[in-house]
Amino acid sequence: MKRTMRRGRDVRRPGLMSIPVLAAILLAAPISAQEGAADREGANGRDRTARAVRIERAPSIDGVLDEDFWATLPPITDFVQREPVDGGTPTERTEVRIAYDDRALYFGFTLYDSEPDRIRRSILHREGRIDQDDRVIIALDTYDDDRNGYIFELNAFGTQGDALFSDERNVLSDWNWEGVYYSEGRVTEEGWVLEVAIPFTTIRFARTQAPRMGIALYRSIRRKNEEVYWPHIPQRFRGGIAQASQYAVLDGLAGVKPGRNIQVIPFAVAGAQKTRGTNGTTTLEDIGIDAKYSITPNLTLDLTWNTDFAQVEADNVQINLTRFNLFFPEKRPFFLERANLFALGDTRETEVFFSRRIGLVNEIVGGGRLTGQAGPLSLGLLSLQTDDGLVVAGADTTRIQGANNTVVRVQGEVLPRTTVGAVLTNVQNSAHWDRTFGADVTARFWGSSIFRGWVAETMAQEGPGGGTGASSFTLEVRPTRLWQLEAGYTDIGEEFRPALGFVRRRDMVRTKAGAAIVPRFDGSRWARQLVLAVNGSYIEGQDGRKQSVDGLFHSMLGFQTGDNISLNVNHDAEVLNGPFAIRSDAAIPGGSYDWRTVTASARFNESRRYSGNARIAFGGFYHGDRVQLGGQFNWKTGPHLTLSGSVDHNDISLPLENGEFATTILGLNMLGAVSRALFANALVQYDTDSKTLRSNVRINWIHRPGSNLYLVFDTGYDLREQLDDPRLSRWTRRTGVVKLTWLQAF
């Protein structure tokens, strides 16, 4: 999960507070300020080669490497630590063998462990938090372009997680891609064994006689918090397993062809919904179809008709105590595959394309998406048609005309590790059109140093004449593992309103800078890494008037156990030109405000049976006071049930009418699994603002690879003491949906 940290400017006071902690660490362990041995060599993985050997008969994917050919294949064994000692020798031996035939690429892992009874395996549900277990990752740069690739993640059960990444960046949304492949794992007296088959119809690669790919292999030994790689990707490369420019070469493939990869997924949906304030029950009976076709080995076309997202999980409840928009991430599978290809802008701040804008009010009738490579270019084209929709506000009903929603994205590498791109978004119907043009550049250098810049302009048929542009430039310099610098500049116009985008804050010019030192303690038995960072920003409006100043001192100490503690001190200043409604019955008047906040937090290793996190923050808030308490407690009862409870509480005291109030969000997440093919999760939430108890239950049965049966129940129950109208039901909604999908591949 990503967390947004509050910033502050005061460095002097938090620096003094951290001296005792820092002194203790420096005395306890030698700091690894120098680069590791692998860093000094200056070589990347291209001097390593993994050889795939052709076999005549496919193995049975059962987690037992008992086929004769496995014993004849040369294993990859020379893994290197990245954690805890960058460039160190692994504490456990790993062997990986690679084979192939005309249909698939096969991997046989033998993962020795001196304490097999302590191998951590708790995740059965597909795409779960497999990183909490002992796991392996197979990463393939199938086009050998040093930028993009596939990730296949597996634990000792053989539970699968997978991702697509672009431009050597692996973000959360990448993990929503689900490829069809086969795996089985077993724990043995010597460790654990994993067998994997990745069909050539699942991955894209060049149609040549002997396709060449990049490859990287990863293993984590969770109880030791140890990570080993082949080839070694040093710590200075922050991309880790997505650092495709550092991959080894996968050689030996010959005579294999990418499949036509025609996939048709028809689906049927049936359900019923009862909503408070409406008469009767709404029933749903519908069918639709999704299809995938590889036009060429490099270009894939996705089509959808009568699109349905009934199986998508509910959003987490948020309470907005700021004067800016909240961000709710995209969760619909159709938009998540290769989502990073379409991205342009600052994530969760100013996104030129934000797919959640499509289909929120107007249902999606259908459309398509084309993604892939054309020579040196990465291409993305998305076009969806929405139907007419109705918006009900009290007694008023507004008809919203449907529209065509189109996005065109192009990226290309102009220099090694340097890409440039452009994007066009267009929303158009018979009455109106709205377009946004954008361009960006990304240059990676010195390991993980990076420069990013983008510009964009919006145009509308009946839009304003000025203030419709935006631009942003960020430079992050990380020449060594020990320290890093950051600087940035962002300019967002008053009327920058991309119809298919997300803009958290308009009318601003922001300048920011920061610095950090991140010493590692490779010789310590208990401390692993210290982070000391300061950063700040100054924001003014397009008229040059000051709007906000913020700064942060951040300190974090990570332990060899996988736990960490942190202390932050923030300084915030705000200038309000007019009143700001923090609640429906409370408004903060215009004026200048200045306050500080201290936040202490701790996070405990989530691979344990019991884990969690906790935080406390206290300080000023708009001439008043604010105390924040939050945390989460996780209990793994075993691989079949995990319970997570969470709380987020704010206690606010402001010197104004109705300025004394508190907000609380309570959550309970239950993950249950009968097997790797049948699992469920339930999210129950309550907040004191709406006083509504919400629940969302999803049951998923993978009845065959790529085919699912979903049962979804979604409810809301009003817990207020008195309803506005006593004749109303306390049930705000009750929904039950069943959805069946069936993958047919050709």
Side-chain angles (χ1 to χ4, degrees):
M1 299 291 293
K2 294 183 179 178
R3 291 188 180 274
T4 302
M5 295 184 296
R6 299 170 181 83
R7 303 186 180 98
R9 295 188 67 198
D10 192 345
V11 178
R12 178 179 56 83
R13 290 183 61 185
L16 291 174
M17 294 171 65
S18 66
I19 287 176
V21 176
L22 179 57
I25 301 304
L26 295 178
L27 291 173
I31 296 178
S32 296
Q34 298 180 353
E35 299 299 318
D39 291 358
R40 291 194 298 269
E41 292 173 2
N44 63 19
R46 291 305 182 186
D47 63 345
R48 300 295 183 93
T49 299
R51 181 162 294 276
V53 177
R54 177 178 276 278
I55 56 176
E56 297 302 320
R57 184 176 179 182
S60 173
I61 306 302
D62 54 9
V64 180
L65 304 182
D66 54 357
E67 288 84 4
D68 292 340
F69 72 84
W70 284 122
T72 66
L73 301 185
I76 298 170
T77 60
D78 50 341
F79 282 73
V80 178
Q81 273 192 15
R82 178 178 165 105
E83 293 281 358
V85 179
D86 194 18
T89 302
T91 63
E92 307 287 356
R93 180 176 172 83
T94 304
E95 296 180 355
V96 184
R97 294 170 171 85
I98 307 174
Y100 74 98
D101 59 15
D102 288 337
R103 299 186 63 183
L105 192 59
Y106 304 99
F107 292 84
F109 288 81
T110 304
L111 304 119
Y112 294 95
D113 197 305
S114 55
E115 299 177 280
D117 59 319
R118 298 185 65 191
I119 293 170
R120 295 189 176 173
R121 50 177 187 158
S122 62
I123 304 299
L124 281 169
H125 52 285
R126 199 185 198 287
E127 300 294 347
R129 287 290 307 278
I130 301 175
D131 61 319
Q132 297 178 5
D133 288 350
D134 284 46
R135 60 172 176 154
V136 301
I137 290 178
I138 303 164
L140 297 174
D141 173 8
T142 55
Y143 288 110
D144 197 31
D145 62 7
D146 291 350
R147 293 169 47 211
N148 311 304
Y150 296 83
I151 289 175
F152 301 93
E153 175 192 48
L154 306 108
N155 67 4
F157 286 124
T159 302
Q160 299 175 355
D162 33 50
L164 298 170
F165 66 87
S166 304
D167 281 332
E168 297 188 292
R169 295 177 62 210
N170 182 213
V171 298
L172 187 61
S173 62
D174 293 339
W175 290 91
N176 289 279
W177 174 72
E178 292 190 6
V180 176
Y181 60 110
Y182 307 89
S183 59
E184 193 64 54
R186 293 178 185 268
V187 173
T188 69
E189 294 180 354
E190 296 181 318
W192 57 292
V193 176
L194 181 70
E195 204 167 13
V196 185
I198 303 175
F200 289 123
T201 55
T202 297
I203 58 178
R204 313 282 182 269
F205 56 93
R207 189 183 292 273
T208 63
Q209 177 60 30
R212 172 174 157 142
M213 303 182 186
I215 185 172
L217 303 168
Y218 162 99
R219 176 190 181 183
S220 75
I221 306 168
R222 203 62 175 89
R223 71 180 183 278
K224 302 179 183 181
N225 294 298
E226 179 179 344
E227 299 178 359
V228 299
Y229 280 71
W230 186 90
H232 180 50
I233 301 178
Q235 283 279 352
R236 64 189 177 92
F237 291 99
R238 297 283 292 274
I241 196 63
Q243 206 78 48
S245 61
Q246 304 303 303
Y247 284 8
V249 174
L250 177 59
D251 203 358
L253 297 175
V256 298
K257 299 178 181 179
R260 291 177 296 171
N261 196 37
I262 301 175
Q263 296 181 355
V264 179
I265 309 176
F267 62 82
V269 180
Q273 182 179 54
K274 174 68 174 177
T275 304
R276 186 168 68 182
T278 61
N279 296 322
T281 299
T282 302
T283 59
L284 173 65
E285 298 175 359
D286 213 346
I287 60 173
I289 191 169
D290 295 328
K292 185 185 294 287
Y293 172 57
S294 292
I295 298 175
T296 73
N298 301 348
L299 287 174
T300 300
L301 176 65
D302 291 274
L303 298 173
T304 181
W305 170 74
N306 216 8
T307 314
D308 174 80
F309 302 111
Q311 78 280 15
V312 175
E313 64 183 284
D315 290 314
N316 290 324
V317 173
Q318 300 182 54
I319 295 177
N320 194 358
L321 297 175
T322 75
R323 53 195 176 99
F324 305 110
N325 297 327
L326 291 176
F327 181 90
F328 290 91
E330 177 64 86
K331 296 183 178 182
R332 296 171 293 178
F334 180 84
F335 295 104
L336 291 171
E337 184 176 339
R338 296 300 302 270
N340 203 34
L341 171 62
F342 291 91
L344 188 148
D346 298 332
T347 304
R348 293 178 176 251
E349 290 286 337
T350 309
E351 300 188 13
V352 172
F353 173 59
F354 180 49
S355 59
R356 189 147 177 158
R357 295 291 186 202
I358 303 176
L360 280 185
V361 177
N362 305 65
E363 291 187 358
I364 298 173
V365 176
R369 177 184 57 197
L370 180 70
T371 58
Q373 305 286 128
L377 299 178
S378 297
L379 302 178
L381 170 63
L382 179 132
S383 183
L384 293 170
Q385 181 68 38
T386 58
D387 203 352
D388 293 348
L390 298 176
V391 176
V392 179
D396 299 327
T397 300
T398 304
R399 178 177 176 272
I400 305 296
Q401 185 179 350
N404 177 262
N405 303 263
T406 297
V407 185
V408 180
R409 179 72 160 125
V410 180
Q411 279 184 313
E413 188 171 54
V414 294
L415 293 171
R417 304 187 72 198
T418 300
T419 59
V420 297
V423 71
L424 164 66
T425 72
N426 182 56
V427 179
Q428 187 163 351
N429 55 30
S430 60
H432 183 76
W433 57 261
D434 197 312
R435 298 178 186 132
T436 303
F437 303 88
D440 64 339
V441 58
T442 301
R444 299 172 296 279
F445 58 97
W446 288 353
S448 292
S449 297
I450 189 168
F451 170 81
R452 291 193 185 97
W454 61 268
V455 295
E457 185 76 29
T458 59
M459 300 174 60
Q461 186 172 356
E462 298 175 355
T468 59
S471 60
S472 180
F473 306 93
T474 302
L475 175 65
E476 300 174 12
V477 180
R478 298 184 177 99
T480 72
R481 293 184 310 173
L482 181 61
W483 61 275
Q484 58 194 51
L485 299 173
E486 179 181 1
Y489 176 85
T490 303
D491 187 326
I492 309 295
E494 295 181 69
E495 297 298 332
F496 182 69
R497 302 177 186 273
L500 291 182
F502 173 83
V503 182
R504 182 172 182 269
R505 182 170 182 167
R506 299 178 179 85
D507 182 24
M508 75 164 188
V509 178
R510 178 175 62 199
T511 305
K512 65 178 182 179
I517 58 171
V518 287
R520 296 176 56 82
F521 310 112
D522 290 350
S524 174
R525 300 179 61 181
W526 59 276
R528 178 166 293 189
Q529 187 170 38
L530 178 68
V531 177
L532 296 173
V534 291
N535 62 58
S537 67
Y538 179 87
I539 300 176
E540 60 184 23
Q542 295 291 329
D543 57 4
R545 296 181 180 179
K546 172 182 170 182
Q547 290 185 353
S548 303
V549 178
D550 61 70
L552 166 69
F553 172 83
H554 168 64
S555 60
M556 188 276 289
L557 175 61
F559 300 98
Q560 298 289 8
T561 59
D563 308 319
N564 65 68
I565 57 174
S566 66
L567 177 68
N568 294 346
V569 178
N570 301 71
H571 178 86
D572 293 274
E574 292 284 343
V575 178
L576 302 181
N577 294 326
F580 151 47
I582 193 169
R583 291 169 68 83
S584 60
D585 59 355
I588 298 173
S592 296
Y593 299 87
D594 188 288
W595 69 90
R596 293 179 183 175
T597 306
V598 177
T599 305
S601 63
R603 180 175 293 274
F604 304 98
N605 188 330
E606 292 183 330
S607 70
R608 298 192 186 107
R609 183 178 180 87
Y610 303 104
S611 65
N613 60 76
R615 71 182 185 281
I616 180 172
F618 54 90
F621 189 65
Y622 290 104
H623 289 346
D625 298 301
R626 179 182 185 183
V627 176
Q628 299 171 268
L629 299 172
Q632 179 173 306
F633 177 76
N634 308 315
W635 176 26
K636 295 181 180 179
T637 67
H640 300 292
L641 179 64
T642 297
L643 302 175
S644 298
S646 63
V647 60
D648 187 356
H649 175 77
N650 284 271
D651 198 322
I652 295 174
S653 176
L654 297 171
L656 50 90
E657 185 178 359
N658 299 318
E660 301 272 350
F661 62 92
T663 67
T664 303
I665 301 175
L666 300 175
L668 175 63
N669 199 357
M670 295 172 281
L671 299 176
V674 176
S675 66
R676 287 169 47 197
L678 178 59
F679 45 88
N681 70 285
L683 176 63
V684 181
Q685 300 176 96
Y686 172 77
D687 71 278
T688 56
D689 260 25
S690 69
K691 291 183 171 57
T692 300
L693 182 68
R694 302 172 177 86
S695 68
N696 181 263
V697 179
R698 297 189 309 140
I699 302 171
N700 186 9
W701 174 38
I702 304 175
H703 56 89
R704 56 181 291 183
S707 303
N708 299 268
L709 175 65
Y710 300 99
L711 295 175
V712 182
F713 304 94
D714 188 75
T715 63
Y717 192 78
D718 195 332
L719 292 178
R720 289 179 296 172
E721 292 183 4
Q722 292 185 344
L723 300 179
D724 297 332
D725 186 340
R727 295 171 296 179
L728 291 175
S729 168
R730 287 192 175 273
W731 290 102
T732 60
R733 67 182 184 280
R734 282 173 288 179
T735 304
V737 175
V738 57
K739 179 176 180 178
L740 176 67
T741 71
W742 194 283
L743 170 66
Q744 296 293 324
F746 305 94

